[in-house]
Amino acid sequence: ASKGERVLGFCYTILPEEKFPEDFKFDTEEPNFPLDGYCFAGMFGLVDPPREGVAEAVNTCREAGINVVMVTGDHPATARAIAKMVNIITSEGPTADEVAAEKGVSILGDSVELEGIRSIVIHGSVLAKMLSFELDHILRSYDEVVFSRTSPQQKLIIVEAYQRQGKIVAVT
């Protein structure tokens, strides 16, 4: 994941043919099949590099005074690696979330020295627990922001937070 690869895991189970015939319609919204008792079969990394020209486009946006923020469903390590590949995160040192994790503290508290750190990766589970004023503080405090493991609903929360700060927001 830290190389920007998607890591996929595989598992299997044997389903009785009388309960699950070949034409059985599996429902993932309201699962109508077993969700446990699976055997882990393995995993692999899938290379899905950023499109050609993305890093240059990010640089052009920065030169024009546009702040580029990444919002993704990827794992934080994958998101961080890709953000570095496309120049969304440009600092060489650790991000604020890495420093906080190393020290065993929250990114929301003042209990860790984050002075001079310009970049942060915010996990969707952390975002879900944030109050509006905490998110607003994060967005004002960091120049390079990446949101990982986010849901479509959280994308709207992020957009609204930037709009509260008077920012014009475009989403792709």
Side-chain angles (χ1 to χ4, degrees):
S2 64
K3 295 177 185 173
E5 296 178 359
R6 270 57 176 205
V7 179
L8 303 174
F10 296 90
C11 61
Y12 68 92
T13 191
I14 307 295
L15 298 173
E17 196 172 336
E18 60 277 358
K19 273 182 92 174
F20 300 95
E22 198 171 308
D23 62 345
F24 183 80
K25 301 285 186 220
F26 289 90
D27 185 351
T28 57
E29 295 295 320
E30 294 186 35
N32 58 350
F33 52 90
L35 297 177
D36 54 14
Y38 286 78
C39 179
F40 180 71
M43 66 178 146
F44 75 90
L46 173 70
V47 177
D48 185 13
R51 289 189 182 135
E52 191 175 319
V54 171
E56 293 80 10
V58 169
N59 289 340
T60 300
C61 287
R62 284 182 187 267
E63 289 169 8
I66 298 168
N67 184 27
V68 179
V69 175
M70 182 172 158
V71 182
T72 181
D74 287 334
H75 184 278
T78 305
R80 183 179 293 104
I82 292 171
K84 287 182 177 185
M85 286 180 207
V86 299
N87 301 326
I88 291 172
I89 294 178
T90 59
S91 53
E92 294 296 320
T95 56
D97 56 292
E98 290 175 309
V99 172
E102 186 178 297
K103 296 185 183 263
V105 298
S106 169
I107 60 170
L108 302 177
D110 294 328
S111 54
V112 63
E113 180 58 47
L114 300 175
E115 190 70 34
I117 297 178
R118 299 177 35 235
S119 308
I120 190 167
V121 178
I122 301 170
H123 193 287
S125 64
V126 174
L127 177 61
K129 296 174 189 170
M130 281 186 194
L131 300 172
S132 293
F133 79 90
E134 292 171 316
L135 178 55
D136 292 345
H137 175 74
I138 293 277
L139 300 184
R140 281 192 306 273
S141 300
Y142 298 95
D143 299 324
E144 301 173 340
V145 182
V146 173
F147 292 91
S148 65
R149 287 286 194 243
T150 56
S151 68
Q153 297 84 0
Q154 288 176 318
K155 187 182 255 189
L156 179 60
I157 291 167
I158 294 163
V159 166
E160 289 171 342
Y162 277 107
Q163 289 174 334
R164 276 194 305 275
Q165 295 181 12
K167 307 288 184 184
I168 297 169
V169 181
V171 179
T172 63

